[in-house]
Amino acid sequence: MDRTPQTSTPGAVRSFVRFVIFGGGVGLASSAAVALLAAFLPFTLANALIAVVSTVLATELHARFTFASEQRPARRGLLRCGLRHHLQSAGTATAAFAVTTLAMLLLHALADAPGLAVEQTVYLSASALAGIGRFLALRLYVFATSSKQPTPAVPHLDPAPRLDVIPRLDLDLSRSPARRELLTTAS
């Protein structure tokens, strides 16, 4: 019998703080790892490899700590999430990457030579918006627990009927014919 402790899903603010800490921590570690790995591999290959590893790592951290997902591994192992959760999380990371890339492309289309401060402001603003969008997608869709999902309306059935709500039937049994009379008239 698998006895896993029941975890309660943290509130939105606590989840968001954890999302920033774990996501930011993985991001910082990834930037250092890319720089180190690029000494041995071409930069694009190092970047792609670290992007995959960091996305898997961040997804696992978010499942375990950020959203305290009730997902349990199908088998004992390192990963808590299944392939579906990892692909959905990777999709949100790809969408965030697309938002920041589009913001920078638009900036350079509108301004010939924006300064470093303008570039950083646009990039960090787009990253913040993409991060908020990613947080919402992960919390509301990817790691949504069954307790957050609406349950279908099922009528509540009481085990015993309440006598005070059953309509009273006023039957005057003294005026009804006796059973013997009914039997004789029917024959």
Side-chain angles (χ1 to χ4, degrees):
M1 174 186 273
D2 181 41
R3 292 193 176 195
T4 52
Q6 293 295 332
T7 57
S8 63
T9 304
V13 173
R14 181 172 283 167
S15 289
F16 186 74
V17 169
R18 291 176 182 179
F19 177 79
V20 170
I21 291 169
F22 288 118
V26 169
L28 289 173
S30 296
S31 66
V34 167
L36 291 173
L37 197 56
F40 304 103
L41 299 172
F43 180 79
T44 54
L45 181 60
N47 190 29
L49 183 63
I50 295 300
V52 169
V53 170
S54 66
T55 301
V56 170
L57 176 62
T59 300
E60 288 296 321
L61 289 172
H62 291 320
R64 291 172 191 258
F65 304 111
T66 303
F67 303 108
S69 174
E70 294 174 357
Q71 299 296 327
R72 297 287 183 246
R75 63 193 190 305
R76 300 266 180 200
L78 181 63
L79 300 180
R80 170 174 282 203
C81 300
L83 181 61
R84 180 179 66 86
H85 290 98
H86 281 286
L87 291 176
Q88 289 172 339
S89 181
T92 64
T94 302
F97 174 78
V99 166
T100 56
T101 301
L102 181 62
M104 294 308 290
L105 289 173
L106 284 173
L107 172 65
H108 286 280
L110 296 174
D112 290 333
L116 181 62
V118 172
E119 281 184 333
Q120 285 300 300
T121 301
V122 169
Y123 179 76
L124 292 174
S125 298
S127 292
L129 288 175
I132 291 169
R134 185 163 188 251
F135 169 78
L136 291 172
L138 290 175
R139 180 171 171 87
L140 299 175
Y141 181 68
V142 176
F143 295 115
T145 60
S146 59
S147 62
K148 290 181 186 176
Q149 297 170 353
T151 57
V154 177
H156 178 69
L157 300 176
D158 287 331
R162 291 179 42 197
L163 296 177
D164 60 334
V165 294
I166 297 176
R168 285 189 55 196
L169 299 174
D170 289 328
L171 297 175
D172 186 8
L173 297 177
S174 64
R175 291 190 312 176
S176 65
R179 184 174 178 171
R180 177 182 256 176
E181 291 174 357
L182 288 175
L183 290 173
T184 56
T185 56
S187 39

